[in-house]
Amino acid sequence: MCLAIPVKVVELLEAEQALVDVGGVRKEVDVSLVDGVAAGDYVILHVGFAINRLDEAEAQRTLSMLREMGVEPGAAA
Amino acid sequence: MKYVDEFRDGKVARNLAQTIAAEVRPERRYHLMEFCGGHTHAISRYGLRDLLPPEIRFIHGPGCPVCVLPIGRIDSAIALARDHGVILCSYGDTLRVPASERMSLLRAKAEGADIRMVYSSADALKIARDNPEREVVFFAIGFETTTPPTAVALRQARNEGLKNFSVFANHVLTPSAIQNILESPEVRELGTIPLDGFIGPSHVSTIIGSRPYEFFAEEFQKPVVIAGFEPLDVLQSVLMLVRQLNEGRAEVENQFSRAVTREGNLKAQALVAEVFELRDRFEWRGLGEVPYSALRIRDAYREFDAEVRFDLPYRSVPDHKACECGTILRGLKQPQDCKVFGTVCTPDNPLGSCMVSAEGACAAYYTYGQFKGASVVAEAS
Ligand code: SF4
């Protein structure tokens, strides 16, 4: 039940609620725990609440590191 | 960027695994505890054990909220529904956790108790609004990820002046559990649990940040890498730990930088601090009583505390004799060491809590098979 998933914010609603896209399905969730959520953001959804925002630049950085780390096995000892 | 598929690429996974294999020192072992049940699940689901060299050993930790809930707490929840006649709202996973005398919330429900499965604390609030003539209790469990949503519900209930809503709080703290394991005689003196480093929880850390782990790295000289839940995240974190151990470093590193900062989610932390305070002690399944390891509702919110409202006594109850959950949660044993694993105890008919939710070590082993080579490639396609 700790499992949480990244979802995209589609539209902000009243009272700190938002519509998000969960694998093609629209769902209303609470975004009051994260400051300044905007449509288009990706957030981590857990038990009906956004618990944090995902940072695209950081995600890209991790991905390029991942590719580098795997490029020359054993080279970086 | 979908933040999922990108981190499941089978080719990158195999390359990473090769890099790890090339960098491990054959003369040593790397005992890595994944604290969080989400990682236990990912390791089994993507067959990461099969991908990695034998020098890497995973030790499963106690970070599964359903698994660590002791029988006594489930008994109290059942008593609320059965003896106090409340509507008890509970997350789905807790329903099948075995309680005393072959009971569970699910069985109590079948026998007529008003127990309702909710997806969120907001659903429990709604049930309270819709049933003003009934007492509604939210059975709140979970680590730091699940606590802020409970706090939101409590604040909301107070703002609305809801008179028939309360919370049975069972929220527990990750750092206290890690410290308990590091200070246990098995790790410290006996060396029965060799423990070289930690794969740190990702979602918990989005809330608490990476700072709380700095103490462990320094005080106990164990490296910690906060890791995402996708297969590439786990593999990269293993590589980062191998490098730290090879170089004799013990630092906190953050692999899940796309959502975790050093400070964490300050807004959520402030709300939790407004609503909750530390309990002196709390019983965990497997770890026993751990000081300052759980939260209770502050006096300012006392009228919404089910333990106050219903005068709930607590009775500690030992686990089923055959069940090894306790030793598994302390990293001493593996699921297949349990005599009834997969025979008497299965996910459909769990004897112990580790067989109940997807993050439980026994359920993960049972579902994905320990040696089945379910590969990352298949999952990625
Ligand atoms: S298999 Fe069942 S009885 Fe055995 S340790 Fe796991 S949960 Fe307990």
Side-chain angles (χ1 to χ4, degrees):
Chain A
M1 62 160 286
C2 252
L3 299 181
I5 45 167
V7 296
K8 186 176 181 176
V9 177
V10 179
E11 189 191 335
L12 287 184
L13 306 172
E14 278 183 4
E16 303 193 275
Q17 306 292 300
L19 273 187
V20 299
D21 179 298
V22 187
V25 181
R26 296 281 160 102
K27 204 171 157 44
E28 200 180 316
V29 305
D30 186 308
V31 292
S32 65
L33 292 168
V34 187
D35 269 327
V37 174
D41 282 353
Y42 272 82
V43 293
I44 299 179
L45 173 65
H46 177 62
V47 297
F49 289 74
I51 57 168
N52 225 327
R53 203 192 331 263
L54 284 149
D55 181 328
E56 171 149 17
E58 280 294 330
Q60 295 291 8
R61 222 168 57 89
T62 303
L63 282 173
S64 52
M65 248 158 61
L66 275 166
R67 287 187 209 105
E68 265 167 42
M69 280 175 139
V71 157
E72 283 176 274
Chain B
M1 175 74 65
K2 290 260 169 39
Y3 299 95
V4 177
D5 299 351
E6 298 91 340
F7 297 91
R8 292 186 183 174
D9 186 309
K11 202 166 133 256
V12 181
R14 277 189 303 271
N15 287 346
L16 266 176
Q18 277 182 43
T19 309
I20 294 169
E23 291 192 24
V24 292
R25 306 230 166 105
E27 75 281 3
R28 67 160 296 171
R29 298 287 169 269
Y30 301 78
H31 297 95
L32 311 178
M33 175 175 273
E34 87 277 4
F35 177 82
C36 181
H39 286 130
T40 309
H41 179 88
I43 289 166
S44 289
R45 172 170 172 191
Y46 300 105
L48 301 185
R49 258 183 236 97
D50 300 332
L51 223 50
L52 289 168
E55 286 83 0
I56 307 287
R57 305 272 165 89
F58 291 113
I59 303 171
H60 313 307
C64 156
V66 177
C67 304
V68 297
L69 205 60
I71 288 179
R73 290 263 151 194
I74 310 272
D75 285 352
S76 300
I78 292 175
L80 274 169
R82 221 169 33 183
D83 309 336
H84 296 276
V86 312
I87 300 177
L88 186 86
C89 302
S90 165
Y91 290 127
D93 277 349
T94 43
L95 292 185
R96 291 183 306 121
V97 180
S100 291
E101 285 147 33
R102 309 185 55 78
M103 277 308 284
S104 66
L105 286 168
L106 202 60
R107 208 160 275 170
K109 182 178 164 69
E111 290 176 4
D114 197 344
I115 295 167
R116 306 193 190 176
M117 191 183 121
V118 293
Y119 166 67
S120 143
S121 59
D123 299 344
L125 267 185
K126 184 168 184 311
I127 292 173
R129 285 186 208 110
D130 294 346
N131 295 275
E133 73 299 343
R134 298 277 309 273
E135 282 286 341
V136 175
V137 179
F138 177 51
F139 182 24
I141 72 155
F143 284 90
E144 290 87 339
T145 22
T146 322
T147 311
T150 304
V152 170
L154 278 163
R155 192 177 54 181
Q156 186 90 21
R158 197 173 74 159
N159 289 348
E160 289 178 29
L162 267 185
K163 292 279 173 261
N164 63 327
F165 177 79
S166 58
V167 169
F168 179 33
N170 293 272
H171 288 299
V172 288
L173 303 171
T174 301
S176 338
I178 293 184
Q179 180 156 358
N180 183 271
I181 288 172
L182 284 168
E183 285 176 344
S184 72
E186 288 97 343
V187 171
R188 270 214 138 147
E189 298 140 31
L190 310 175
T192 18
I193 315 178
L195 196 57
D196 299 311
F198 284 95
I199 297 174
S202 50
H203 294 149
V204 159
S205 307
T206 67
I207 304 286
I208 67 173
S210 64
R211 198 207 310 255
Y213 307 101
E214 290 167 9
F215 169 75
F216 305 115
E218 208 172 292
E219 179 73 17
F220 297 92
Q221 283 299 301
K222 307 279 184 201
V224 179
V225 174
I226 294 161
F229 282 133
E230 298 301 337
L232 294 188
D233 292 323
V234 178
L235 289 171
Q236 183 180 23
S237 305
V238 169
L239 181 55
M240 290 163 82
L241 282 167
V242 165
R243 288 184 176 168
Q244 283 209 44
L245 289 165
N246 284 350
E247 292 161 21
R249 289 183 290 127
E251 294 163 14
V252 178
E253 291 179 317
N254 180 11
Q255 185 275 337
F256 199 54
S257 59
R258 58 189 184 273
V260 173
T261 58
R262 182 161 181 263
E263 281 70 36
N265 182 339
L266 295 174
K267 195 177 182 191
Q269 288 172 23
L271 176 64
V272 168
E274 180 196 320
V275 175
F276 291 103
E277 63 189 10
L278 280 178
R279 279 181 200 264
D280 293 346
R281 51 202 329 101
F282 191 80
E283 187 192 343
W284 294 54
R285 202 183 282 241
L287 307 183
E289 289 227 334
V290 183
Y292 304 111
S293 65
L295 299 173
R296 65 180 203 85
I297 296 171
R298 274 187 193 278
D299 280 347
Y301 286 84
R302 193 180 159 82
E303 55 178 310
F304 300 100
D305 186 343
E307 282 174 88
V308 175
R309 189 177 292 193
F310 297 100
D311 182 28
L312 270 188
Y314 181 72
R315 194 169 62 99
S316 170
V317 181
D319 285 344
H320 190 285
K321 277 202 308 299
C323 181
E324 298 280 7
C325 270
T327 37
I328 292 170
L329 289 167
R330 295 211 310 278
L332 274 169
K333 285 195 174 170
Q334 304 270 3
Q336 67 270 29
D337 296 328
C338 172
K339 285 197 194 68
V340 294
F341 171 78
T343 54
V344 178
C345 182
T346 62
D348 286 334
N349 200 0
L351 198 64
S353 60
C354 309
M355 193 56 105
V356 174
S357 87
E359 302 112 272
C362 295
Y365 274 56
Y366 184 89
T367 309
Y368 298 107
Q370 212 226 324
F371 302 104
K372 244 194 272 160
S375 72
V376 185
V377 194
E379 285 291 343
S381 59

